[in-house]
Amino acid sequence: MAKKSMVEREKKRERLVAKYAAKRAGLKEIINDQDKPMEERFRASLKLAKLPRNSSAVRLHNRCQLTGRPHAYYRKLKVSRIMLRELGSNGQIPGLVKSSW
């Protein structure tokens, strides 16, 4: 069941990213604006550092919604290659036929 918790953790990160997106964008705009005084840019940098780490979009990772596997992820179906094969073999994905000879 440890894998399921990774899916929940990823969902929590997605919520944090959505919650802090506007605030992070505003602070980054201040930091990158060369016309602003150095002190103001530094204060914005400190405020950005105080935000939760998981509110950064680069912390998100695509994971299989069924197993939590982070590798070999199919974006269209939101599952890993292993689950795609299993679901295809069971006939649970419309239009997908697993060939074997």
Side-chain angles (χ1 to χ4, degrees), residues 89-100:
S89 293
N90 296 338
Q92 295 177 333
I93 299 178
L96 183 73
V97 177
K98 183 195 167 289
S99 300
S100 60

Side-chain angles (χ1 to χ4, degrees), residues 1-13 61 63-64 67-70:
M1 276 306 214
K3 303 257 185 224
K4 272 294 193 193
S5 66
M6 287 306 295
V7 174
E8 295 304 317
R9 190 180 304 174
E10 200 65 31
K11 287 180 184 176
K12 181 180 176 184
R13 284 181 185 149
H61 200 288
R63 288 186 176 273
C64 175
T67 61
R69 180 181 165 86

Side-chain angles (χ1 to χ4, degrees), residues 15-99:
R15 287 192 300 269
L16 280 172
V17 167
K19 180 179 178 182
Y20 288 100
K23 189 175 224 179
R24 290 182 77 85
L27 289 172
K28 285 182 182 180
E29 194 173 307
I30 292 171
I31 292 168
N32 293 327
D33 187 3
Q34 296 295 320
D35 297 333
K36 302 257 185 210
M38 188 64 178
E39 295 82 23
E40 185 177 348
R41 290 171 38 210
F42 186 68
R43 276 196 302 272
S45 173
L46 291 176
K47 284 182 184 177
L48 184 65
K50 285 186 179 180
L51 293 179
R53 284 187 177 188
N54 283 335
S55 67
S56 175
V58 298
R59 305 267 299 203
L60 292 177
H61 200 288
N62 291 331
R63 288 186 176 273
C64 175
Q65 295 297 304
L66 302 175
T67 61
R69 180 181 165 86
H71 300 293
Y73 175 82
Y74 287 86
R75 291 180 191 163
K76 199 169 192 177
L77 301 172
K78 297 187 178 184
V79 295
S80 67
R81 66 176 175 84
I82 296 169
M83 290 309 297
L84 178 70
R85 181 184 171 105
E86 189 175 312
L87 293 172
S89 293
N90 296 338
Q92 295 177 333
I93 299 178
L96 183 73
V97 177
K98 183 195 167 289
S99 300

